[in-house]
Amino acid sequence: PNPTFGPHTRLSRGGMGDQREPFSERVTLNVGGTTYETYVDTLRRYPDSLLGAMFAERNTALRKPDERGQFFFDRDGDAFSVILNYYRTGRLTSKPTLSDDLLQAELEYWGLTVDDHEWKPSEQPDEDFSGFGNEVAKIGVSMAREKNKKKLYPLLKRQIRQALLHAAGKGMSVCTVFFSNRGHTYFGSDADGNPLYEIRNEGVSSFFEDETNQTLLMYDVNRMGLVVEESSFFVGPVRPFIRFRLWSADTRVVEMANSDPAPAKILAPGPSQSTGGTA
């Protein structure tokens, strides 16, 4: 007749696959605050290990659990799941959260020697870098702003806005803004009558020599919804400049209902005046 197996029977390790024997006493291990429950016979599978010797039959009288019936070990609780699984299966399967150094230290503490054929490295999942570029960008922009918040940069942004408002008030569709070191900021016309917008501030050249500053300025220009047709920040015979497209035939402008749009207020001076570099 076929034997009857209850909840407290298990396969024998004696090599006969159809043999069953009663489960041995259960034991609760508290490892670093994480509790594990197993059978004494499981821990005896490696008699030369720390737990194998501790729970050997000859040492039964020496084992004293705490008031909760647990045996406490001040070790890494997460790593012990790998250790206990080795007692159960005879295979050491690591976890992605465990470093090789930590696992080796735990094996040495528990007195386990693992052969190469028993070692099964964990499958390392591909790292999830989704959103990482955005995280790096946020940090970079934040630090660039912090570096420039008390320097020339805030003034440059205000002057660019004023130049574009001035050009829009003149009905211009394109505005090229130049940058130079000396003199006073000037919005008007050159000797030939062509529109001239030149922002002049001491330190402009050194500002544009820093590629981070160039990138930060263009980043903010894009955030303002402005269209840049051409730009050059090379400091040399040709002054640094940005050529803005203020509007085009494809631009959608929201008109005010029942009225003509009021002309933009001209905030910057004409050719006979200057801003003094502090507009």
Side-chain angles (χ1 to χ4, degrees):
N2 293 328
T4 300
F5 303 131
H8 298 291
T9 58
R10 63 173 177 177
L11 280 169
S12 170
R13 292 180 58 84
M16 297 293 291
D18 60 347
Q19 292 183 341
R20 299 293 188 274
E21 63 184 29
F23 274 128
S24 64
E25 107 184 66
R26 287 188 295 185
V27 62
T28 301
L29 307 175
N30 183 335
V31 183
T34 303
T35 57
Y36 295 89
E37 190 170 333
T38 188
Y39 292 97
V40 169
D41 275 4
T42 299
L43 304 178
R44 289 175 178 171
R45 291 175 183 174
Y46 296 96
D48 294 332
S49 68
L50 185 151
L51 293 174
M54 177 177 173
F55 287 93
E57 190 171 354
R58 66 181 183 276
N59 293 324
T60 300
L62 301 177
R63 295 194 299 273
K64 300 296 180 183
D66 61 20
E67 64 276 6
R68 293 174 295 179
Q70 301 176 358
F71 294 89
F72 179 77
F73 297 87
D74 190 16
R75 301 299 296 182
D76 189 295
D78 185 42
F80 186 72
S81 65
V82 175
I83 300 297
L84 183 56
N85 196 51
Y86 178 67
Y87 277 94
R88 290 168 172 164
T89 66
R91 296 282 290 174
L92 186 71
T93 304
S94 187
K95 301 167 65 174
T97 56
L98 299 182
S99 68
D100 290 344
D101 289 343
L102 174 60
L103 184 56
Q104 183 60 41
E106 293 303 303
L107 288 169
E108 291 176 2
Y109 174 82
W110 297 107
L112 291 168
T113 301
V114 180
D115 296 331
D116 289 342
H117 72 277
E118 298 174 317
W119 170 259
K120 182 181 179 182
S122 64
E123 294 184 1
Q124 297 290 337
D126 292 336
E127 293 188 70
D128 182 8
F129 285 110
S130 60
F132 182 66
N134 183 60
E135 179 183 353
V136 169
K138 284 173 62 177
I139 295 172
V141 170
S142 176
M143 296 308 296
R145 290 195 194 286
E146 182 67 22
K147 184 180 72 171
N148 280 290
K149 69 178 183 180
K150 295 182 179 179
K151 297 183 180 179
L152 179 62
Y153 184 60
L155 174 61
L156 279 179
K157 287 200 299 183
R158 290 197 301 271
Q159 291 172 327
I160 290 172
R161 284 196 295 266
Q162 290 177 341
L164 298 182
L165 285 172
H166 186 277
K170 295 291 187 179
M172 297 169 56
S173 61
V174 177
C175 176
T176 302
V177 179
F178 293 91
F179 303 91
S180 63
N181 277 323
R182 300 186 179 278
H184 298 290
T185 296
Y186 176 84
F187 303 157
S189 304
D190 61 16
D192 298 324
N194 299 312
L196 176 62
Y197 291 84
E198 185 162 6
I199 293 176
R200 301 165 180 167
N201 294 293
E202 185 177 353
V204 162
S205 295
S206 59
F207 175 85
F208 284 121
E209 286 174 353
D210 188 330
E211 186 175 349
T212 297
N213 294 341
Q214 302 173 18
T215 305
L216 180 62
L217 178 59
M218 298 306 291
Y219 173 82
D220 282 338
V221 162
N222 289 330
R223 289 181 68 236
M224 287 189 284
L226 298 168
V227 178
V228 175
E229 289 197 335
E230 186 180 1
S231 64
S232 173
F233 299 113
F234 176 71
V235 179
V238 179
R239 294 163 294 176
F241 71 88
I242 304 175
R243 180 173 296 120
F244 295 93
R245 167 62 64 177
L246 304 184
W247 58 276
S248 69
D250 298 324
T251 301
R252 288 174 172 258
V253 178
V254 178
E255 305 286 0
M256 296 179 63
N258 302 322
S259 66
D260 294 329
K265 182 180 179 181
I266 299 177
L267 302 179
S272 61
Q273 299 176 339
S274 68
T275 68
T278 59

